[in-house]
Amino acid sequence: MKTAASLIQIDTTHAQAHLSAEAIRQAEQDALVAIQTLHTGSGAGSDFLGWLTLPEETIERNLCKQVKTVADKLRQECLYIICIGIGGSYLGGKAVIEALGDHFSTHRQPELGHPQVLFAGNNISSDYLHDLMDLVVDKPFGIVNISKSGTTTEPAIAFRMLSQYLVARDGQEVSKRRIVAITDKKRGALRRLADEQGYDTFVIPDNVGGRFSVLTPVGLLPIALAGFDIEALLQGASDTALLYRSTEHPLETPAVQYAVTRQAAYRERAVSEVLVAFEPRLSALGQWWMQLFGESEGKEGKGLLPLSLTYTTDLHSMGQWIQQGPHNILETMIVVDTPRDTITIPTDEQNLDGLNYLAGETMHHVNEQAHLGTLLAHEDGGVPVLQLQLPQIDARTIGAFIYTMEYAVAISGYMMGINPFDQPGVEDYKRNMFALLAKPGSESETKAMRQRLNK
């Protein structure tokens, strides 16, 4: 099917060939209903639809200027800037930074004006936090604390440790300049602390859920701190949003075609979707995608299990399973037309490795043939394969990709009959953890759980 004009293109041919015409037809009908539900705000979770118009509203509010002002100040004072957050509070920003950045940026020496952006508060590993604090022990660093409440365990521990160290080492005034809070507008522990201490602050909108927040200051500030173009990122998302909301042919848009094909596959055979990229810089984007689809669809006993791989690397570990395993998956390939840099394979007089037949070819050409060879092999093996095509990896294209995935998961979720904007299940492990840690108020649960574990 021909797609509407978009930075992101989709090829459903190699997926739909393995699906019945009836499954696709029914999914298309359900998608039209889901689109209507989304655009009228009549579905479950309608309080969290701020992301729909967020890109253009952010541009109109000139928020980028405020973000860049704070980012420039920190960039001039710090060699390292530690962004504290978990889940949607860090995955999106990290994904964009890695996609737009240098593969080995963390191995290069930071400079004032060109700091390294690091991440903390996304685990409870003492080794991780110790090593991070050892890295910055004698270096100027700043902190961006990203938390709606300020009490989420992982980021709260990291912020307590890092902020206390910063204050003890550099003093209250310096610390106040180097700590930024991104939090609720009025409520929560972090809002109260930020107001008391006079930190620079940005607001997490009430109507945007965490996994949809990369185009708010949650993602924009870390991306700006890393030196990347947040206006271009937003413009790519804004152009895509306008296309999806104004088209007279919604079934031709990449996001809806993606939702239709994955739902048809889910209803007929698939239990998991594997998102694969042939560029290592996109691996963190795959982690962001996993949270977006996992939290949005994995409820009420429903949903495709989202997994992310990098090819050709993971073809040497997971390729066998995908080729000849149970064939209950959908594979979605991200393909990039033009690389950022070009490397040509040289000739070698001895040719002991037998590679002279590739002399003069670019590595991108070889990578593309690997992509096409994998596509044909997996298709022959009975795997439905979707292809998402990006013209290049730049800020505008990544913005378009982000919005395409957000729109697709909303449509896909409504097609499944679930609320794609809540995540009730993530609280279960927290209740158990708090009880096992003897958090005040959990005394009865503490006793019961310890008895279960001691059986």
Side-chain angles (χ1 to χ4, degrees):
M1 181 184 292
K2 181 178 180 294
T3 62
S6 170
L7 272 177
I8 310 301
Q9 293 293 304
I10 186 169
D11 181 357
T12 63
T13 307
H14 301 277
Q16 294 193 0
H18 295 272
L19 306 172
S20 70
E22 174 58 25
I24 295 168
R25 185 193 65 80
Q26 185 60 57
E28 288 179 340
Q29 291 183 353
D30 293 344
L32 291 173
V33 174
I35 292 166
Q36 180 72 9
T37 300
L38 179 64
H39 288 191
T40 58
S42 57
S46 59
D47 291 343
F48 292 93
L49 297 181
W51 60 271
L52 260 177
T53 55
L54 179 67
E56 56 264 51
E57 289 176 359
T58 301
I59 293 171
E60 291 169 2
R61 288 170 50 209
N62 204 23
L63 180 61
C64 287
K65 183 178 180 181
Q66 301 170 45
V67 169
K68 289 197 297 182
T69 296
V70 171
D72 288 345
K73 180 179 68 173
L74 281 178
R75 282 168 59 84
Q76 295 305 317
E77 283 199 37
C78 302
L79 289 178
Y80 295 97
I81 301 168
I82 303 169
C83 295
I84 297 175
I86 195 167
S89 294
Y90 93 101
L91 283 170
K94 185 174 187 287
V96 176
I97 289 170
E98 290 196 11
L100 299 180
D102 174 348
H103 290 92
F104 302 101
S105 60
T106 56
H107 296 272
R108 303 187 192 280
Q109 190 67 30
E111 301 173 355
L112 295 179
H114 300 281
Q116 283 186 14
V117 176
L118 307 172
F119 294 90
N122 50 64
N123 58 63
I124 321 178
S125 166
S126 59
D127 290 348
Y128 183 98
L129 191 55
H130 175 274
D131 292 347
L132 176 61
M133 295 182 72
D134 186 60
L135 176 69
V136 301
V137 68
D138 57 351
K139 310 290 195 309
F141 73 94
I143 300 171
V144 178
N145 193 11
I146 307 169
S147 175
K148 188 78 169 173
S149 65
T151 58
T152 303
T153 306
E154 295 91 338
I157 290 172
F159 182 67
R160 175 181 286 200
M161 297 288 292
L162 288 162
S163 62
Q164 286 187 4
Y165 172 70
L166 184 61
V167 171
R169 191 192 72 178
D170 295 342
Q172 195 72 41
E173 287 304 310
V174 170
S175 300
K176 185 168 68 174
R177 292 201 313 269
R178 294 188 188 165
I179 296 176
V180 180
I182 303 177
T183 188
D184 191 87
K185 185 176 183 179
K186 297 179 180 178
R187 302 179 299 275
L190 182 54
R191 167 51 61 186
R192 177 179 174 182
L193 179 65
D195 289 345
E196 289 176 353
Q197 298 296 324
Y199 300 153
D200 285 325
T201 62
F202 292 97
V203 172
I204 302 173
D206 288 335
N207 61 354
V208 178
R211 58 187 176 273
F212 291 82
S213 66
V214 59
L215 299 177
T216 74
V218 168
L220 295 178
L221 182 57
I223 295 163
L225 286 166
F228 297 116
D229 189 345
I230 57 175
E231 283 103 339
L233 182 79
L234 283 165
Q235 193 61 58
S238 178
D239 292 345
T240 306
L242 179 62
L243 167 66
Y244 291 165
R245 296 202 312 271
S246 64
T247 181
E248 296 179 358
H249 306 284
L251 291 178
E252 295 183 7
T253 62
V256 177
Q257 287 192 43
Y258 178 48
V260 164
T261 306
R262 64 193 308 277
Q263 280 301 311
Y266 173 61
R267 295 170 184 183
E268 286 209 323
R269 59 188 292 177
V271 299
S272 178
E273 180 180 5
V274 181
L275 183 77
V276 303
F278 284 80
E279 287 292 342
R281 287 196 287 152
L282 299 180
S283 60
L285 198 64
Q287 298 296 310
W288 169 82
W289 170 88
M290 284 174 59
Q291 189 209 9
L292 180 68
F293 279 83
E295 279 195 349
S296 295
E297 291 188 337
K299 57 199 71 166
E300 299 179 19
K302 301 176 182 178
L304 288 160
L305 172 66
L307 301 171
S308 176
L309 300 175
T310 300
Y311 287 175
T312 58
T313 304
D314 292 326
L315 285 172
H316 293 262
S317 57
M318 293 297 294
Q320 171 63 38
W321 187 89
I322 292 171
Q323 186 72 41
Q324 296 182 337
H327 291 170
N328 55 3
I329 66 169
L330 171 68
E331 186 176 29
T332 300
M333 294 180 174
I334 302 176
V335 182
V336 179
D337 289 342
T338 306
R340 183 181 60 191
D341 300 300
T342 300
I343 290 181
T344 301
I345 299 170
T347 189
D348 183 84
E349 186 174 333
Q350 288 186 289
N351 194 32
L352 294 177
D353 53 17
L355 289 181
N356 272 356
Y357 76 101
L358 295 177
E361 297 286 2
T362 65
M363 283 191 67
H364 181 69
H365 171 77
V366 177
N367 200 24
E368 177 58 13
Q369 304 322 299
H371 150 236
L372 294 173
T374 305
L375 168 67
L376 294 175
H378 290 182
E379 184 178 31
D380 290 345
V383 179
V385 183
L386 271 169
Q387 295 185 93
L388 296 170
Q389 191 171 0
L390 282 57
Q392 64 273 321
I393 301 175
D394 60 17
R396 188 163 172 263
T397 302
I398 295 300
F401 180 86
I402 286 169
Y403 194 89
T404 294
M405 292 297 104
E406 291 178 344
Y407 194 90
V409 79
I411 299 302
S412 186
Y414 280 143
M415 290 172 70
M416 292 169 60
I418 52 95
N419 177 358
F421 305 110
D422 68 354
Q423 56 281 337
V426 300
E427 297 302 317
D428 291 353
Y429 93 89
K430 295 180 183 179
R431 284 192 293 269
N432 291 350
M433 178 180 70
F434 293 149
L436 292 169
L437 289 169
K439 183 178 180 179
S442 303
E443 289 79 7
S444 60
E445 292 88 347
T446 299
K447 182 177 179 180
M449 287 183 191
R450 288 179 176 168
Q451 286 176 342
R452 285 178 60 188
L453 292 171
N454 290 330
K455 283 183 179 179

